[in-house]
């Protein structure tokens, strides 16, 4: 049976997808989470995700799609021999880019969701992010949404609550949802696998920190008014 009030969240235990998990809990009666293991160096990531989902009272499922790290070995997130790009190269994506990752994730998520009678999918991609990964763009998401509908003759809706939000605005949303502290202290965004504020120097930490400082300043200003 189709469940109009249910959503499946692509969930990694990071800042963005955790914010999306609670966004989904606000907008849907029933929420489930799917987490992907794709050969990433930090196995801790999936454990963090499982814990947060459990605390949020959200059924959690882990899917292994590590085949993608065997197909392309040029990614620094899955290949220990490659040093991570600290900045975006002028003529290319940073080597933290996993080609096809979001397409694979969302496709598997859709197949899983359909089997549960769920047709709302939620993902934390944002095109306001600096890295500019092609599969985080709105055009791609819309295109894949059409493709999934055609592939399974269904009416999926892919929700992207963070699409136009920068990191500061993502912090703001987590605050509005009442989970600012949870996101700040429990999530794992760091490419070096350190929870909360992370290592402080990898690109993901820098981005997260910059957004947090910006938001804290904004919040302090609002409180003064
Ligand atoms: Zn870090």
């Amino acid at each position: 049976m189709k469940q109009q009030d249910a959503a499946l969240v692509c969930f990694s235990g990071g800042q963005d997808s955790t914010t999306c998990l609670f966004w989904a809990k606000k907008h849907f009666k029933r929420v489930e989470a799917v987490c992907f293991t794709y050969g990433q160096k930090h196995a801790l990531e999936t454990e963090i995700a499982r814990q947060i989902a459990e605390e949020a009272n959200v059924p959690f499922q882990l899917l292994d799609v590590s085949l993608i790290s065997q197909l392309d070995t040029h990614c620094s997130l899955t290949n220990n021999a490659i040093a991570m790009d600290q900045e975006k190269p002028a003529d290319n994506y940073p080597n933290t880019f996993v080609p096809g990752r979001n397409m694979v994730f969302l496709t598997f998520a859709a197949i899983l969701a359909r089997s549960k009678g769920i047709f709302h999918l939620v993902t934390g991609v944002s095109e306001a992010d600096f890295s500019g990964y092609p599969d985080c763009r709105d055009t791609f998401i819309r295109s894949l949404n059409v493709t999934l509908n055609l592939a399974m003759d269904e009416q999926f809706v892919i929700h992207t609550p963070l699409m136009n939000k920068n990191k500061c605005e993502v912090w703001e949303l987590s605050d509005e949802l009442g989970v600012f502290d949870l996101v700040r202290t429990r999530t794992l965004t760091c490419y070096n696998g350190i929870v909360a504020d992370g290592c402080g120097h990898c690109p993901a930490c820098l981005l997260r920190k910059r957004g947090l400082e910006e938001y804290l300043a904004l919040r302090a200003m609002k409180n003064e008014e």
Side-chain angles (χ1 to χ4, degrees):
M1 204 180 77
K2 291 196 182 187
Q3 307 210 28
Q4 289 308 329
D5 51 2
L8 180 68
V9 181
C10 289
F11 184 55
S12 72
Q15 178 192 356
D16 294 342
S17 69
T18 301
T19 305
C20 283
L21 187 77
F22 286 94
W23 177 90
K25 276 179 70 88
K26 187 183 166 187
H27 290 92
F28 295 91
K29 224 186 231 161
R30 189 162 74 88
V31 174
E32 297 201 18
V34 59
C35 179
F36 295 95
T37 166
Y38 57 95
Q40 63 269 59
K41 288 176 196 164
H42 304 291
L44 179 66
E45 209 177 288
T46 54
E47 201 32 56
I48 299 276
R50 184 191 301 278
Q51 287 169 13
I52 296 175
E54 199 180 281
E55 254 177 68
N57 226 345
V58 168
F60 176 89
Q61 200 161 337
L62 188 64
L63 291 188
D64 184 353
V65 291
S66 50
L67 177 65
I68 55 175
S69 68
Q70 292 165 34
L71 299 176
D72 188 315
T73 55
H74 302 96
C75 171
S76 61
L77 294 190
T78 51
N79 187 339
N80 278 313
I82 298 177
M84 192 190 311
D85 281 336
Q86 291 298 319
E87 279 170 28
K88 188 180 184 306
D91 57 347
N92 207 344
Y93 295 106
N95 63 16
T96 49
F97 175 50
V98 184
R101 180 171 56 177
N102 283 335
M103 183 176 71
V104 169
F105 284 7
L106 282 164
T107 301
F108 281 106
I111 298 168
L112 178 67
R114 184 181 177 280
S115 79
K116 295 168 178 285
I118 299 177
F119 295 88
H120 292 278
L121 305 173
V122 182
T123 171
V125 296
S126 162
E127 62 181 15
D129 255 0
F130 84 115
S131 38
Y133 298 146
D135 57 353
C136 289
R137 294 180 194 146
D138 193 46
T139 321
F140 162 71
I141 297 293
R142 284 167 192 265
S143 159
L144 183 65
N145 201 148
V146 171
T147 299
L148 291 172
N149 290 353
L150 290 173
M152 291 178 250
D153 194 17
E154 298 287 2
Q155 292 297 316
F156 290 100
V157 182
I158 306 180
H159 300 267
T160 54
L162 312 185
M163 183 53 81
N164 297 305
K165 293 193 186 304
N166 60 31
K167 275 286 182 281
C168 171
E169 292 165 328
V170 176
W171 283 113
E172 185 175 31
L173 178 60
S174 71
D175 210 2
E176 285 166 11
L177 293 166
V179 291
F180 175 81
D181 287 330
L182 184 147
V183 172
R184 190 174 178 183
T185 58
R186 302 288 309 283
T187 61
L188 171 62
T189 309
C190 173
Y191 286 147
N192 290 311
I194 301 170
V195 178
D197 289 339
C199 72
H201 55 77
C202 77
C205 279
L206 291 176
L207 194 68
R208 174 172 162 144
K209 189 166 90 181
R210 228 174 286 145
L212 178 62
E213 286 169 356
E214 209 180 310
Y215 177 61
L216 288 175
L218 191 80
R219 194 165 75 163
M221 221 161 64
K222 270 192 198 161
N223 287 344
E224 272 171 30
E225 274 166 17

